[in-house]
Amino acid sequence: MQCLSYRTANNRGLRPKGFGEKDVLSGGAEAGGAGFARNSGRPDAGRPGPCARLLLGLLVFLLSWPATQGFAARATGAAIPVPQGLDFAISENSPPEKILAAFLGTPYRFDGAVDEFGRYSTFADPALVYPAPGLNCSGLVLASSRFLLKKNITLAQAKQDRLGDSGPGSPHGEDWDFGWDLILNISEGFSRSLLLPGGKSQDPATATGFAPRGYDIQQPSTWRELPARLQPGYIYLVSLNVEGRRKGYGLQHYHVGLIHVDSAGKAWFYQTTGKGAVANRRDLKSPEGQESFKKAFANSGNKRKMMLVLEVALP
């Protein structure tokens, strides 16, 4: 299971196999949020011709233009622009449960995000605008966190390389710590604490992305301790990491999610993946939810999957 984002279009290595430039620029299979076209294996198989792509591009522009103008006016104001396609209206003043519920069922899109103007776009190329909803794990966490934290975080702010150690040519692999940087950037300026095993906590500003690595997902001690530490009044931004996952990478922060404890005391982990197809959740305080989580993030041989849990106080 994976959900990768990247900071620039230069990082071709993070795109899924068979994902080419046309998938982005044409707004083809991805634009509908249904994933990649099922075809004979040729990059162009089943894809519209140049004229059809031109018409599709014009349609995307016409559909997005009114929204762009309305959202541009609001992006600098108090209201956070609401993306289209949610099941019901929300605002930064909505209860957290309602905010998060509005994003459930949003289709998965590779590198999919919502920009600060409320448009569906991508982290790598914010100039791309899609008329249909689509988010990856990073996009889901960012879009919902804007409303939960009452702060219109821009895409540029969210993907900032905090230590300048994950650009092209990085010895650790390009964007190796994207997920870790993302949750730090989102929570910047808020009261926050990194939860660690043994009831310990740490200032996240002192963490490097390499250490500490957080909770071991498969360890029984994690599930004896962590659920009790999850409390109302906070969100918990989660970065999952594993060593040796891809060639050229050591440690990689490969997936993110968000935990919120609702009024019934359930600790819901919100996420989306290509395999899951849509934004979903599971209760980490229930045995069933814990087992489902452990199964979804099982170790790969001797490569242990760990998670950093960042507690952020709601405003």
Side-chain angles (χ1 to χ4, degrees), residues 251-277:
L251 185 71
Q252 188 176 16
H253 291 263
Y254 73 100
H255 185 56
V256 294
L258 184 152
I259 301 171
H260 175 257
V261 179
D262 68 13
S263 56
K266 296 176 183 279
W268 294 107
F269 176 77
Y270 293 83
Q271 65 152 7
T272 187
T273 65
K275 185 176 181 179

PDB file of all heavy atoms in Angstrom, residues 251-277:
ATOM      1  N   LEU A 251      15.429   5.239   4.365  1.00  0.00           N
ATOM      2  CA  LEU A 251      14.132   5.395   5.015  1.00  0.00           C
ATOM      3  C   LEU A 251      13.223   6.236   4.126  1.00  0.00           C
ATOM      4  O   LEU A 251      13.676   7.191   3.501  1.00  0.00           O
ATOM      5  CB  LEU A 251      14.315   6.088   6.375  1.00  0.00           C
ATOM      6  CG  LEU A 251      13.060   6.221   7.242  1.00  0.00           C
ATOM      7  CD1 LEU A 251      12.646   4.865   7.794  1.00  0.00           C
ATOM      8  CD2 LEU A 251      13.312   7.195   8.379  1.00  0.00           C
ATOM      9  N   GLN A 252      11.945   5.862   4.073  1.00  0.00           N
ATOM     10  CA  GLN A 252      10.992   6.632   3.270  1.00  0.00           C
ATOM     11  C   GLN A 252       9.692   6.825   4.041  1.00  0.00           C
ATOM     12  O   GLN A 252       9.113   5.875   4.571  1.00  0.00           O
ATOM     13  CB  GLN A 252      10.707   5.928   1.940  1.00  0.00           C
ATOM     14  CG  GLN A 252       9.872   6.772   0.987  1.00  0.00           C
ATOM     15  CD  GLN A 252       9.678   6.094  -0.356  1.00  0.00           C
ATOM     16  OE1 GLN A 252       9.900   4.892  -0.511  1.00  0.00           O
ATOM     17  NE2 GLN A 252       9.237   6.848  -1.343  1.00  0.00           N
ATOM     18  N   HIS A 253       9.251   8.073   4.125  1.00  0.00           N
ATOM     19  CA  HIS A 253       7.935   8.405   4.687  1.00  0.00           C
ATOM     20  C   HIS A 253       6.943   8.315   3.535  1.00  0.00           C
ATOM     21  O   HIS A 253       6.806   9.249   2.745  1.00  0.00           O
ATOM     22  CB  HIS A 253       7.965   9.796   5.313  1.00  0.00           C
ATOM     23  CG  HIS A 253       8.795   9.863   6.555  1.00  0.00           C
ATOM     24  ND1 HIS A 253       8.248   9.759   7.824  1.00  0.00           N
ATOM     25  CD2 HIS A 253      10.131   9.988   6.729  1.00  0.00           C
ATOM     26  CE1 HIS A 253       9.217   9.842   8.722  1.00  0.00           C
ATOM     27  NE2 HIS A 253      10.369   9.971   8.089  1.00  0.00           N
ATOM     28  N   TYR A 254       6.243   7.199   3.454  1.00  0.00           N
ATOM     29  CA  TYR A 254       5.536   6.854   2.224  1.00  0.00           C
ATOM     30  C   TYR A 254       4.025   7.026   2.284  1.00  0.00           C
ATOM     31  O   TYR A 254       3.353   6.883   1.258  1.00  0.00           O
ATOM     32  CB  TYR A 254       5.865   5.406   1.835  1.00  0.00           C
ATOM     33  CG  TYR A 254       5.208   4.363   2.717  1.00  0.00           C
ATOM     34  CD1 TYR A 254       4.048   3.707   2.306  1.00  0.00           C
ATOM     35  CD2 TYR A 254       5.732   4.034   3.966  1.00  0.00           C
ATOM     36  CE1 TYR A 254       3.444   2.751   3.094  1.00  0.00           C
ATOM     37  CE2 TYR A 254       5.139   3.089   4.755  1.00  0.00           C
ATOM     38  CZ  TYR A 254       3.989   2.449   4.319  1.00  0.00           C
ATOM     39  OH  TYR A 254       3.388   1.514   5.125  1.00  0.00           O
ATOM     40  N   HIS A 255       3.470   7.306   3.461  1.00  0.00           N
ATOM     41  CA  HIS A 255       2.014   7.416   3.567  1.00  0.00           C
ATOM     42  C   HIS A 255       1.666   8.297   4.761  1.00  0.00           C
ATOM     43  O   HIS A 255       2.398   8.318   5.761  1.00  0.00           O
ATOM     44  CB  HIS A 255       1.399   6.021   3.754  1.00  0.00           C
ATOM     45  CG  HIS A 255      -0.099   5.991   3.755  1.00  0.00           C
ATOM     46  ND1 HIS A 255      -0.865   6.490   2.728  1.00  0.00           N
ATOM     47  CD2 HIS A 255      -0.989   5.513   4.673  1.00  0.00           C
ATOM     48  CE1 HIS A 255      -2.154   6.317   3.005  1.00  0.00           C
ATOM     49  NE2 HIS A 255      -2.251   5.729   4.177  1.00  0.00           N
ATOM     50  N   VAL A 256       0.569   9.054   4.648  1.00  0.00           N
ATOM     51  CA  VAL A 256       0.108   9.883   5.760  1.00  0.00           C
ATOM     52  C   VAL A 256      -1.381   9.672   5.986  1.00  0.00           C
ATOM     53  O   VAL A 256      -2.108   9.218   5.097  1.00  0.00           O
ATOM     54  CB  VAL A 256       0.387  11.388   5.517  1.00  0.00           C
ATOM     55  CG1 VAL A 256       1.872  11.676   5.479  1.00  0.00           C
ATOM     56  CG2 VAL A 256      -0.299  11.880   4.251  1.00  0.00           C
ATOM     57  N   GLY A 257      -1.813   9.999   7.193  1.00  0.00           N
ATOM     58  CA  GLY A 257      -3.222   9.931   7.552  1.00  0.00           C
ATOM     59  C   GLY A 257      -3.502  10.887   8.692  1.00  0.00           C
ATOM     60  O   GLY A 257      -2.605  11.589   9.182  1.00  0.00           O
ATOM     61  N   LEU A 258      -4.747  10.913   9.113  1.00  0.00           N
ATOM     62  CA  LEU A 258      -5.172  11.824  10.179  1.00  0.00           C
ATOM     63  C   LEU A 258      -6.107  11.089  11.125  1.00  0.00           C
ATOM     64  O   LEU A 258      -7.018  10.383  10.673  1.00  0.00           O
ATOM     65  CB  LEU A 258      -5.866  13.038   9.561  1.00  0.00           C
ATOM     66  CG  LEU A 258      -6.320  14.175  10.476  1.00  0.00           C
ATOM     67  CD1 LEU A 258      -6.331  15.502   9.687  1.00  0.00           C
ATOM     68  CD2 LEU A 258      -7.714  13.943  11.064  1.00  0.00           C
ATOM     69  N   ILE A 259      -5.883  11.242  12.434  1.00  0.00           N
ATOM     70  CA  ILE A 259      -6.730  10.619  13.453  1.00  0.00           C
ATOM     71  C   ILE A 259      -7.500  11.702  14.183  1.00  0.00           C
ATOM     72  O   ILE A 259      -6.945  12.754  14.544  1.00  0.00           O
ATOM     73  CB  ILE A 259      -5.894   9.821  14.476  1.00  0.00           C
ATOM     74  CG1 ILE A 259      -5.085   8.725  13.789  1.00  0.00           C
ATOM     75  CG2 ILE A 259      -6.795   9.219  15.552  1.00  0.00           C
ATOM     76  CD1 ILE A 259      -4.079   8.037  14.697  1.00  0.00           C
ATOM     77  N   HIS A 260      -8.789  11.441  14.408  1.00  0.00           N
ATOM     78  CA  HIS A 260      -9.613  12.335  15.233  1.00  0.00           C
ATOM     79  C   HIS A 260     -10.520  11.491  16.105  1.00  0.00           C
ATOM     80  O   HIS A 260     -11.118  10.512  15.646  1.00  0.00           O
ATOM     81  CB  HIS A 260     -10.462  13.272  14.365  1.00  0.00           C
ATOM     82  CG  HIS A 260     -11.397  14.126  15.162  1.00  0.00           C
ATOM     83  ND1 HIS A 260     -12.755  13.873  15.265  1.00  0.00           N
ATOM     84  CD2 HIS A 260     -11.155  15.215  15.940  1.00  0.00           C
ATOM     85  CE1 HIS A 260     -13.300  14.789  16.047  1.00  0.00           C
ATOM     86  NE2 HIS A 260     -12.367  15.605  16.468  1.00  0.00           N
ATOM     87  N   VAL A 261     -10.613  11.862  17.374  1.00  0.00           N
ATOM     88  CA  VAL A 261     -11.496  11.169  18.313  1.00  0.00           C
ATOM     89  C   VAL A 261     -12.838  11.883  18.319  1.00  0.00           C
ATOM     90  O   VAL A 261     -12.917  13.079  18.625  1.00  0.00           O
ATOM     91  CB  VAL A 261     -10.885  11.145  19.728  1.00  0.00           C
ATOM     92  CG1 VAL A 261     -11.823  10.440  20.694  1.00  0.00           C
ATOM     93  CG2 VAL A 261      -9.521  10.461  19.710  1.00  0.00           C
ATOM     94  N   ASP A 262     -13.894  11.158  17.977  1.00  0.00           N
ATOM     95  CA  ASP A 262     -15.208  11.784  17.863  1.00  0.00           C
ATOM     96  C   ASP A 262     -15.932  11.844  19.204  1.00  0.00           C
ATOM     97  O   ASP A 262     -15.394  11.431  20.248  1.00  0.00           O
ATOM     98  CB  ASP A 262     -16.059  11.083  16.805  1.00  0.00           C
ATOM     99  CG  ASP A 262     -16.466   9.659  17.195  1.00  0.00           C
ATOM    100  OD1 ASP A 262     -16.318   9.267  18.377  1.00  0.00           O
ATOM    101  OD2 ASP A 262     -16.958   8.922  16.303  1.00  0.00           O
ATOM    102  N   SER A 263     -17.156  12.346  19.182  1.00  0.00           N
ATOM    103  CA  SER A 263     -17.930  12.544  20.411  1.00  0.00           C
ATOM    104  C   SER A 263     -18.301  11.234  21.086  1.00  0.00           C
ATOM    105  O   SER A 263     -18.629  11.209  22.277  1.00  0.00           O
ATOM    106  CB  SER A 263     -19.205  13.341  20.098  1.00  0.00           C
ATOM    107  OG  SER A 263     -19.968  12.689  19.089  1.00  0.00           O
ATOM    108  N   ALA A 264     -18.228  10.128  20.361  1.00  0.00           N
ATOM    109  CA  ALA A 264     -18.517   8.806  20.925  1.00  0.00           C
ATOM    110  C   ALA A 264     -17.255   8.126  21.445  1.00  0.00           C
ATOM    111  O   ALA A 264     -17.314   7.000  21.933  1.00  0.00           O
ATOM    112  CB  ALA A 264     -19.200   7.919  19.890  1.00  0.00           C
ATOM    113  N   GLY A 265     -16.110   8.798  21.334  1.00  0.00           N
ATOM    114  CA  GLY A 265     -14.857   8.230  21.824  1.00  0.00           C
ATOM    115  C   GLY A 265     -14.140   7.341  20.838  1.00  0.00           C
ATOM    116  O   GLY A 265     -13.127   6.725  21.178  1.00  0.00           O
ATOM    117  N   LYS A 266     -14.624   7.266  19.591  1.00  0.00           N
ATOM    118  CA  LYS A 266     -13.965   6.451  18.563  1.00  0.00           C
ATOM    119  C   LYS A 266     -12.805   7.241  17.961  1.00  0.00           C
ATOM    120  O   LYS A 266     -12.952   8.430  17.654  1.00  0.00           O
ATOM    121  CB  LYS A 266     -14.954   6.045  17.473  1.00  0.00           C
ATOM    122  CG  LYS A 266     -16.083   5.149  17.974  1.00  0.00           C
ATOM    123  CD  LYS A 266     -17.073   4.871  16.852  1.00  0.00           C
ATOM    124  CE  LYS A 266     -18.253   4.048  17.341  1.00  0.00           C
ATOM    125  NZ  LYS A 266     -17.967   2.638  17.426  1.00  0.00           N
ATOM    126  N   ALA A 267     -11.664   6.593  17.771  1.00  0.00           N
ATOM    127  CA  ALA A 267     -10.477   7.239  17.208  1.00  0.00           C
ATOM    128  C   ALA A 267     -10.358   6.852  15.740  1.00  0.00           C
ATOM    129  O   ALA A 267      -9.762   5.833  15.391  1.00  0.00           O
ATOM    130  CB  ALA A 267      -9.229   6.830  17.979  1.00  0.00           C
ATOM    131  N   TRP A 268     -10.912   7.683  14.875  1.00  0.00           N
ATOM    132  CA  TRP A 268     -10.971   7.359  13.456  1.00  0.00           C
ATOM    133  C   TRP A 268      -9.683   7.764  12.744  1.00  0.00           C
ATOM    134  O   TRP A 268      -9.235   8.911  12.854  1.00  0.00           O
ATOM    135  CB  TRP A 268     -12.149   8.069  12.798  1.00  0.00           C
ATOM    136  CG  TRP A 268     -13.488   7.611  13.277  1.00  0.00           C
ATOM    137  CD1 TRP A 268     -14.342   8.306  14.094  1.00  0.00           C
ATOM    138  CD2 TRP A 268     -14.132   6.366  12.978  1.00  0.00           C
ATOM    139  NE1 TRP A 268     -15.488   7.572  14.316  1.00  0.00           N
ATOM    140  CE2 TRP A 268     -15.390   6.379  13.647  1.00  0.00           C
ATOM    141  CE3 TRP A 268     -13.775   5.257  12.217  1.00  0.00           C
ATOM    142  CZ2 TRP A 268     -16.271   5.302  13.559  1.00  0.00           C
ATOM    143  CZ3 TRP A 268     -14.661   4.192  12.139  1.00  0.00           C
ATOM    144  CH2 TRP A 268     -15.892   4.221  12.805  1.00  0.00           C
ATOM    145  N   PHE A 269      -9.112   6.819  12.018  1.00  0.00           N
ATOM    146  CA  PHE A 269      -7.954   7.077  11.168  1.00  0.00           C
ATOM    147  C   PHE A 269      -8.460   7.299   9.746  1.00  0.00           C
ATOM    148  O   PHE A 269      -9.027   6.400   9.125  1.00  0.00           O
ATOM    149  CB  PHE A 269      -6.987   5.895  11.203  1.00  0.00           C
ATOM    150  CG  PHE A 269      -5.802   6.036  10.279  1.00  0.00           C
ATOM    151  CD1 PHE A 269      -4.736   6.857  10.618  1.00  0.00           C
ATOM    152  CD2 PHE A 269      -5.755   5.347   9.070  1.00  0.00           C
ATOM    153  CE1 PHE A 269      -3.636   6.990   9.763  1.00  0.00           C
ATOM    154  CE2 PHE A 269      -4.666   5.471   8.209  1.00  0.00           C
ATOM    155  CZ  PHE A 269      -3.602   6.303   8.560  1.00  0.00           C
ATOM    156  N   TYR A 270      -8.277   8.515   9.228  1.00  0.00           N
ATOM    157  CA  TYR A 270      -8.728   8.891   7.889  1.00  0.00           C
ATOM    158  C   TYR A 270      -7.554   8.798   6.925  1.00  0.00           C
ATOM    159  O   TYR A 270      -6.461   9.298   7.202  1.00  0.00           O
ATOM    160  CB  TYR A 270      -9.290  10.310   7.891  1.00  0.00           C
ATOM    161  CG  TYR A 270     -10.564  10.464   8.691  1.00  0.00           C
ATOM    162  CD1 TYR A 270     -10.523  10.645  10.071  1.00  0.00           C
ATOM    163  CD2 TYR A 270     -11.812  10.423   8.074  1.00  0.00           C
ATOM    164  CE1 TYR A 270     -11.687  10.780  10.819  1.00  0.00           C
ATOM    165  CE2 TYR A 270     -12.988  10.559   8.816  1.00  0.00           C
ATOM    166  CZ  TYR A 270     -12.913  10.732  10.181  1.00  0.00           C
ATOM    167  OH  TYR A 270     -14.071  10.868  10.922  1.00  0.00           O
ATOM    168  N   GLN A 271      -7.807   8.190   5.756  1.00  0.00           N
ATOM    169  CA  GLN A 271      -6.752   8.001   4.766  1.00  0.00           C
ATOM    170  C   GLN A 271      -7.363   7.745   3.403  1.00  0.00           C
ATOM    171  O   GLN A 271      -8.573   7.553   3.268  1.00  0.00           O
ATOM    172  CB  GLN A 271      -5.881   6.809   5.144  1.00  0.00           C
ATOM    173  CG  GLN A 271      -6.654   5.496   5.112  1.00  0.00           C
ATOM    174  CD  GLN A 271      -5.806   4.275   4.813  1.00  0.00           C
ATOM    175  OE1 GLN A 271      -4.598   4.338   4.741  1.00  0.00           O
ATOM    176  NE2 GLN A 271      -6.462   3.131   4.620  1.00  0.00           N
ATOM    177  N   THR A 272      -6.511   7.725   2.402  1.00  0.00           N
ATOM    178  CA  THR A 272      -6.920   7.244   1.088  1.00  0.00           C
ATOM    179  C   THR A 272      -5.706   6.633   0.413  1.00  0.00           C
ATOM    180  O   THR A 272      -4.569   7.056   0.647  1.00  0.00           O
ATOM    181  CB  THR A 272      -7.521   8.368   0.219  1.00  0.00           C
ATOM    182  OG1 THR A 272      -8.045   7.813  -0.993  1.00  0.00           O
ATOM    183  CG2 THR A 272      -6.485   9.439  -0.120  1.00  0.00           C
ATOM    184  N   THR A 273      -5.928   5.609  -0.390  1.00  0.00           N
ATOM    185  CA  THR A 273      -4.871   4.942  -1.156  1.00  0.00           C
ATOM    186  C   THR A 273      -5.431   4.551  -2.516  1.00  0.00           C
ATOM    187  O   THR A 273      -6.651   4.485  -2.705  1.00  0.00           O
ATOM    188  CB  THR A 273      -4.366   3.668  -0.452  1.00  0.00           C
ATOM    189  OG1 THR A 273      -5.440   2.710  -0.412  1.00  0.00           O
ATOM    190  CG2 THR A 273      -3.880   3.952   0.958  1.00  0.00           C
ATOM    191  N   GLY A 274      -4.519   4.282  -3.443  1.00  0.00           N
ATOM    192  CA  GLY A 274      -4.966   3.821  -4.747  1.00  0.00           C
ATOM    193  C   GLY A 274      -5.722   2.513  -4.658  1.00  0.00           C
ATOM    194  O   GLY A 274      -6.704   2.294  -5.361  1.00  0.00           O
ATOM    195  N   LYS A 275      -5.275   1.623  -3.785  1.00  0.00           N
ATOM    196  CA  LYS A 275      -5.939   0.332  -3.621  1.00  0.00           C
ATOM    197  C   LYS A 275      -7.333   0.496  -3.039  1.00  0.00           C
ATOM    198  O   LYS A 275      -8.269  -0.194  -3.421  1.00  0.00           O
ATOM    199  CB  LYS A 275      -5.093  -0.574  -2.719  1.00  0.00           C
ATOM    200  CG  LYS A 275      -5.621  -1.986  -2.584  1.00  0.00           C
ATOM    201  CD  LYS A 275      -4.674  -2.842  -1.758  1.00  0.00           C
ATOM    202  CE  LYS A 275      -5.203  -4.273  -1.634  1.00  0.00           C
ATOM    203  NZ  LYS A 275      -4.280  -5.128  -0.864  1.00  0.00           N
ATOM    204  N   GLY A 276      -7.464   1.434  -2.101  1.00  0.00           N
ATOM    205  CA  GLY A 276      -8.770   1.660  -1.477  1.00  0.00           C
ATOM    206  C   GLY A 276      -9.730   2.426  -2.356  1.00  0.00           C
ATOM    207  O   GLY A 276     -10.943   2.371  -2.153  1.00  0.00           O
ATOM    208  N   ALA A 277      -9.205   3.183  -3.320  1.00  0.00           N
ATOM    209  CA  ALA A 277      -9.977   3.887  -4.352  1.00  0.00           C
ATOM    210  C   ALA A 277     -10.651   5.168  -3.875  1.00  0.00           C
ATOM    211  O   ALA A 277     -10.818   6.103  -4.646  1.00  0.00           O
ATOM    212  CB  ALA A 277     -11.012   2.975  -5.000  1.00  0.00           C
TER     213      ALA A 277
END
